[in-house]
Amino acid sequence: MAYDMTYDPNNIFARILRGEIPCDKVYEDENCLAFNDIAPKAPVHVLVIPKGAYVNLDDFHAKASDAEIAALIRAVGTVAKLKDLPATGYRILSNNGEDAHQEVPHLHIHVIGKRDLGGMVGKPKG
Ligand code: 5GP
């Protein structure tokens, strides 16, 4: 099933970006915001998001400027460094669409670390 690529301006991360609901900020620059995940899966679990309105990576790939794309990857690297992850290793991932169980329809990169993260891909539910 195809999922909706229309950006919902009331999604939770859009509301965080507008300051309507709080977040535990880790890093911010002109193009990106990074904050701790509300339900962390590891001792470090940060979400890095572009400030622009992009549903997911496909939308970002199609519409974002080169500067925005570079800024997102740079922000991910900065967050890893701020959290002292390069020494021990860490995982970045982005859930895109239905099969990946994307819950929040605003592009976000998970930065996860500070424990053994096990294998890469889980089993299907059910
Ligand atoms: P997804 O499944 O879309 O890749 O991940 C969404 C992530 O957003 C989940 O890890 C979830 O815990 C996190 N999340 C959902 N709502 C909030 C919120 O209001 N604040 C923060 N900081 N994280 C949230």
Side-chain angles (χ1 to χ4, degrees):
M1 190 177 81
Y3 55 94
D4 191 359
M5 286 279 278
T6 308
Y7 186 78
D8 170 11
N10 289 319
N11 78 75
I12 201 92
F13 294 169
R15 297 185 64 203
I16 285 175
L17 283 168
R18 289 196 296 268
E20 292 169 8
I21 56 170
C23 72
D24 184 9
K25 185 160 74 176
V26 171
Y27 172 77
E28 182 172 15
D29 63 28
E30 186 190 342
N31 291 295
C32 304
L33 177 68
F35 50 90
N36 287 316
D37 196 292
I38 205 166
K41 302 278 192 295
V44 170
H45 188 169
V46 179
L47 302 171
V48 185
I49 68 173
K51 288 186 173 174
Y54 302 106
V55 176
N56 59 21
L57 196 71
D58 310 300
D59 197 21
F60 193 59
H61 171 262
K63 298 178 193 158
S65 68
D66 288 355
E68 288 175 294
I69 292 169
L72 186 65
I73 296 301
R74 288 204 180 280
V76 167
T78 299
V79 165
K81 212 169 161 186
L82 284 171
K83 292 292 183 181
D84 193 31
L85 296 177
T88 46
Y90 59 101
R91 181 168 293 156
I92 65 171
L93 69 88
S94 178
N95 294 315
N96 287 270
E98 193 179 2
D99 278 356
H101 296 248
Q102 180 180 1
E103 287 170 14
V104 180
H106 181 113
L107 173 62
H108 48 285
I109 310 286
H110 297 255
V111 181
I112 303 166
K114 291 290 178 196
R115 71 164 170 81
D116 183 330
L117 296 168
M120 190 170 70
V121 178
K123 294 185 178 135
K125 280 182 185 160

